[in-house]
Amino acid sequence: MHELSLVGAVVESLEEMAREKGWKKVTKVTLRIGRMRQVIPEVMVFSFSVVTEGTIMEGSSLEILEVPVTSRCSFCGEEWEGLSFLCPRCGSGQVETASGMELDLESVEVEE
Amino acid sequence: MSRRIAIQRSVMAADEKIAEKIRKDLSKKGVLMLNLIGSPGSGKTALLEWTLKDPLFRSVVLEGDVATSRDAERIARTGTPVVQINTRGGCHLEANLVEKALESLEMDGVDVIFVENVGNLVCPAEFDLGEDYKVALCSVPEGPDKPLKYPHLFMRAEAVLLTKVDLLEHLDFDRDLFWKDVKELNPRAERLEVSPLRGDGMSDWVSLVQGWVKAKRP
């Protein structure tokens, strides 16, 4: 399951940042995850609790902000919710995913 | 006292950086990289075996599997340089693994790197390896509903290959539904029907790759 691999990447990232900035403890981690990402929040939370054991993130809470999927027509600029592949306004097929692909470390709460 | 610090950076930032580095490197050298993604048994290795038996371009292959070097052994029999990457449980390849594998290959004069990803329709689509294109494979026995069930891959593929079409006469596979769904998800993708076993569509596949190789040359 790649939730474990993603959590591993988060922990590695944060450990590096903690070393650079001299954080004593991380108490909360907030991730922004788009709904197109095939990530199961419950699995992320569980993996997080396991992977952070023994690190300065141990015992911290994981918050996941889910971002809805929206599409945008690169021809006329129309935006809409969901994944349809023809623009509902102009009918063009030049559609891109505007949101829903995020996999971002949004913020942390730390003790310094 | 806790303090909130905004970060707003991609979780996969480190791996994405490596993918970008690979991409820039290969662009400079004019080498094409293709990321072949499909279920276990979709015919990825068989496609490569046929492509490489009498190749019109100089290739190297990276084989991604959880375990064994069976696929690499099959490719080695074609005389093509190949590296087996074993993820030992990982369900997809990542750029850092590709970077390491490429370090052990002689890249002088190479036209194309074929990366055969771990058999999986889910995760590999999300991890950028620095490739030029993702090629999605779906075989006839898997059924025609896979594109809509795994939209992420099929939306991002440059080409979609329906494989094992030699089995169409034996199975109840709705070809029209399959291609209708693929077109809906990805109207711009190249669409090919192939059978490495019988040879159907294989010259079209090779021409497609040749076109990509030519376009990549600096």
Side-chain angles (χ1 to χ4, degrees):
Chain A
M1 279 293 109
H2 64 275
E3 280 84 354
L4 202 58
S5 158
L6 295 177
V7 163
V10 170
V11 168
E12 230 181 271
S13 237
L14 289 178
E15 277 183 319
E16 204 188 301
M17 268 185 249
R19 272 194 299 270
E20 282 171 21
K21 311 205 181 195
W23 299 337
K24 279 214 182 65
K25 199 171 157 55
V26 174
T27 53
K28 182 174 179 187
V29 176
T30 301
L31 302 178
R32 280 180 83 235
I33 302 183
R35 303 206 95 180
M36 274 284 284
R37 294 287 182 173
Q38 294 150 130
V39 163
I40 300 165
E42 294 79 11
V43 178
M44 283 292 272
V45 168
F46 175 73
S47 305
F48 186 77
S49 65
V50 168
V51 176
T52 52
E53 264 173 48
T55 72
I56 63 160
M57 280 150 274
E58 183 169 342
S60 63
S61 63
L62 177 68
E63 178 186 23
I64 297 175
L65 304 173
E66 284 193 300
V67 183
V69 181
T70 60
S71 308
R72 182 192 305 122
C73 174
S74 38
F75 194 72
C76 75
E78 175 85 348
E79 278 198 31
W80 62 93
E81 261 202 52
L83 267 187
S84 76
F85 311 99
L86 287 180
C87 176
R89 188 161 83 184
C90 73
S92 162
Q94 289 178 55
V95 173
E96 52 193 22
T97 307
S99 74
M101 283 294 294
E102 296 78 2
L103 195 57
D104 299 332
L105 190 44
E106 174 74 8
S107 65
V108 289
E109 280 179 19
V110 305
E111 279 168 21
E112 287 157 311
Chain B
M1 242 350 266
S2 275
R3 181 165 79 96
R4 185 176 169 278
I5 302 175
I7 299 178
Q8 286 159 353
R9 206 176 70 175
S10 166
V11 166
M12 297 303 298
D15 207 65
E16 282 165 10
K17 245 203 209 141
I18 297 175
E20 269 319 302
K21 182 165 166 288
I22 293 172
R23 184 166 282 120
K24 278 204 177 85
D25 229 8
L26 295 181
S27 227
K28 253 197 291 192
K29 296 184 175 130
V31 180
L32 177 78
M33 191 200 281
L34 299 179
N35 185 359
L36 272 55
I37 302 175
S39 296
S42 54
K44 298 181 291 298
T45 314
L47 184 82
L48 287 178
E49 283 175 307
W50 197 103
T51 309
L52 299 170
K53 68 177 177 1
D54 225 340
L56 298 170
F57 29 77
R58 243 189 101 186
S59 318
V60 298
V61 176
L62 301 186
E63 278 291 342
D65 283 295
V66 172
T68 81
S69 56
R70 287 204 178 162
D71 284 355
E73 288 161 23
R74 285 169 63 180
I75 299 295
R77 277 179 232 133
T78 67
T80 308
V82 55
V83 176
Q84 177 77 57
I85 306 171
N86 283 135
T87 64
R88 290 179 294 178
C91 52
H92 58 270
L93 289 178
E94 293 179 11
N96 62 83
L97 296 172
V98 168
E99 186 185 41
K100 234 202 322 229
L102 287 176
E103 282 165 10
S104 63
L105 284 168
E106 179 52 66
M107 294 301 298
D108 259 343
V110 170
D111 297 313
V112 52
I113 302 167
F114 288 101
V115 180
E116 185 185 328
N117 216 311
V118 179
N120 183 348
L121 282 175
V122 182
C123 317
E126 299 189 27
F127 294 89
D128 186 6
L129 306 179
E131 75 268 16
D132 289 90
Y133 305 125
K134 291 179 178 40
V135 176
L137 281 79
C138 178
S139 66
V140 166
E142 291 171 67
D145 58 356
K146 297 303 169 289
L148 288 187
K149 283 189 175 183
Y150 301 91
H152 201 149
L153 166 65
F154 289 90
M155 274 174 63
R156 301 173 91 183
E158 186 75 7
V160 176
L161 269 52
L162 177 63
T163 63
K164 308 194 185 188
V165 293
D166 51 288
L167 295 176
L168 279 171
E169 51 191 305
H170 303 294
L171 296 168
D172 184 18
F173 182 94
D174 190 340
R175 266 167 87 218
D176 293 334
L177 176 68
F178 177 79
W179 289 122
K180 170 176 166 294
D181 289 346
V182 168
K183 271 188 224 161
E184 218 179 73
L185 280 173
N186 190 342
R188 287 181 295 242
E190 297 285 343
R191 298 182 284 274
L192 290 180
E193 295 188 354
V194 300
S195 163
L197 185 73
R198 204 168 60 183
D200 306 46
M202 291 306 290
S203 52
D204 289 338
W205 158 247
V206 169
S207 300
L208 181 63
V209 176
Q210 269 185 300
W212 285 335
V213 166
K214 284 204 179 92
K216 191 69 196 280
R217 297 219 169 97

